[in-house]
Amino acid sequence: MKLAALGEVMVELAPQSAVGSGDASKPQFMQSFAGDTYNTAVYIARGGVNVSYVTLLGDDPYSKEVLACLTQEGIDTSAIPQLPGRNPGLYLIQNTADGERYFTYWRGESPARELFADADRREALKAHLRQMDCLYLSGITLAIMSPEARGELLAFLQEYRANGGRVAFDSNYRPRLWASAEVAKIAVMDFLQQTDMALLTFEDEQALWGDTRVEECVQRNTAAGVSELIVKRGAEPVLMQVNGELDAIDVPLVSRVVDTTGAGDSFNAGYLAARLQGATPAQSVAAGNQCAARVIGHRGAIIPRTEYMERAAGAIEPG
Ligand code: ADP
């Protein structure tokens, strides 16, 4: 089984000192790389599935480091062009006194925004994607693309699915990335109609569609033709609807939740890695919960590989 994840990876700068300690005017930052589909790609690869990450990078030192990180995780980088003179997007995390985290982004000129835009590169990428059993993308992947490129990707997904490929999608709604909520709704609905496995977070669905009850979310996605629907709701039971049958699956208690960044991304990875290796949807939800439990017991979206593997092997309690 081989999966390609499409999207954007950014340079992340996260403050290191706790609020109230040190000189707040001179925060120390820890630099890493993150992005929703990138996070998922890393954990799917750690789950034992062949993964290709699909994006565009620059030729700067940070882009080279991203490629090195992906390679270290065993992820195929052969479908990542490096655009001369460009560099990846960047974001800064701020911890505020009320315990919230604020994100400030510099990603307007990110090379990833050119995904599926250039005709020659697009044809080469399609040839690469046709070799995959499953494609994974998110609402963020769609939001950063031009409307024309989105249309090209949508048409390709129709062809890809007609030839037996499976598509997994997480709506990951980020209002600031879209021209308007209306544009986002139209794009998300178009892609849901080409989705086999929808791995959604109820909070994002509420923000985009104004759902007051989870049943509205289930109905909308069923009507769009999604045959395998998963709705994540933090510590609340995960809803799963497969071929019309609805179930709620409990989320195991995590005794020490350190940081929920990347919870949804890692759940998706646990789910897809299990599913692609033959597990049932219910078993895959359990695997998604386990993967997320490991990640939220640690600060940051990407938990170090050795610690993750030890947690996966049961050497360390999840949280
Ligand atoms: P997102 O990160 O997209 O906002 P959620 O907050 O719904 O997603 O969380 C995704 C998954 O992470 C949940 O389905 C669950 O498996 C796990 N998770 C999140 N928060 C908790 C928590 N407080 N306790 C246990 N598991 C959690």
Side-chain angles (χ1 to χ4, degrees):
M1 281 290 151
K2 198 159 181 200
L3 173 144
L6 291 77
E8 179 180 17
V9 50
M10 289 168 285
V11 177
E12 178 194 273
L13 291 179
Q16 282 314 283
S17 50
V19 178
S21 72
D23 181 350
S25 67
K26 290 186 190 134
Q28 306 274 310
F29 289 101
M30 163 97 157
Q31 186 254 304
S32 57
F33 301 110
D36 66 337
T37 54
Y38 171 83
N39 304 340
T40 302
V42 166
Y43 292 118
I44 295 177
R46 289 183 189 177
V49 170
N50 278 327
V51 178
S52 167
Y53 193 61
V54 173
T55 188
L56 293 94
L57 290 167
D59 58 356
D60 63 301
Y62 293 99
S63 292
K64 288 179 185 142
E65 260 189 70
V66 170
L67 292 172
C69 284
L70 285 164
T71 303
Q72 224 177 1
E73 298 284 353
I75 296 174
D76 174 9
T77 61
S78 65
I80 306 182
Q82 286 186 266
L83 306 190
R86 305 282 292 273
N87 28 261
L90 163 78
Y91 69 98
L92 237 88
I93 303 173
Q94 257 181 318
N95 294 327
T96 59
D98 58 5
E100 288 297 321
R101 284 154 61 88
Y102 285 101
F103 296 81
T104 310
Y105 293 92
W106 291 261
R107 66 197 298 188
E109 291 174 19
S110 161
R113 291 186 169 259
E114 283 157 53
L115 196 62
F116 250 71
D118 172 85
D120 290 342
R121 275 202 294 265
R122 186 165 62 234
E123 289 314 309
L125 179 54
K126 284 184 190 175
H128 178 78
L129 297 178
R130 285 188 191 107
Q131 298 166 27
M132 304 291 150
D133 300 290
C134 183
L135 303 183
Y136 173 70
L137 56 143
S138 77
I140 296 178
T141 313
L142 304 183
I144 62 168
M145 296 171 76
S146 69
E148 296 73 26
R150 271 204 303 269
E152 293 284 348
L153 175 59
L154 186 66
F156 172 72
L157 293 188
Q158 280 165 346
E159 172 217 301
Y160 174 77
R161 293 176 77 233
N163 288 309
R166 282 196 282 172
V167 175
F169 177 72
D170 183 344
S171 61
N172 263 346
Y173 178 51
R174 302 292 179 270
R176 284 182 57 175
L177 290 177
W178 291 96
S180 69
E182 281 316 305
V183 172
K185 282 181 185 174
I186 293 167
V188 167
M189 196 39 83
D190 282 347
F191 278 80
L192 278 171
Q193 288 167 5
Q194 299 305 327
T195 294
D196 299 282
M197 293 173 273
L199 308 169
L200 313 174
T201 296
F202 188 48
E203 251 185 28
D204 288 341
E205 291 293 289
Q206 287 181 298
L208 179 58
W209 302 97
D211 297 342
T212 50
R213 295 175 312 119
V214 75
E215 289 78 7
E216 296 166 53
C217 170
V218 172
Q219 263 168 21
R220 180 178 53 256
N221 286 285
T222 307
V226 172
S227 58
E228 196 167 317
L229 171 68
I230 304 297
V231 186
K232 294 157 278 174
R233 300 183 296 167
E236 296 292 306
V238 174
L239 287 189
M240 174 184 90
Q241 181 167 269
V242 182
N243 297 324
E245 221 174 285
L246 189 63
D247 274 308
I249 300 179
D250 282 341
V251 171
L253 183 72
V254 175
S255 52
R256 207 170 58 93
V257 177
V258 175
D259 176 9
T260 56
T261 307
D265 304 335
S266 52
F267 175 95
N268 294 353
Y271 186 90
L272 289 171
R275 198 75 182 97
L276 292 178
Q277 292 175 98
T280 63
Q283 290 166 338
S284 303
V285 168
N289 283 334
Q290 273 170 16
C291 187
R294 284 171 217 142
V295 172
I296 65 179
H298 186 278
R299 188 165 289 284
I302 305 283
I303 134 171
R305 190 180 163 77
T306 41
E307 191 179 333
Y308 179 85
M309 293 309 197
E310 280 167 11
R311 284 175 192 253
I316 305 178
E317 285 299 305

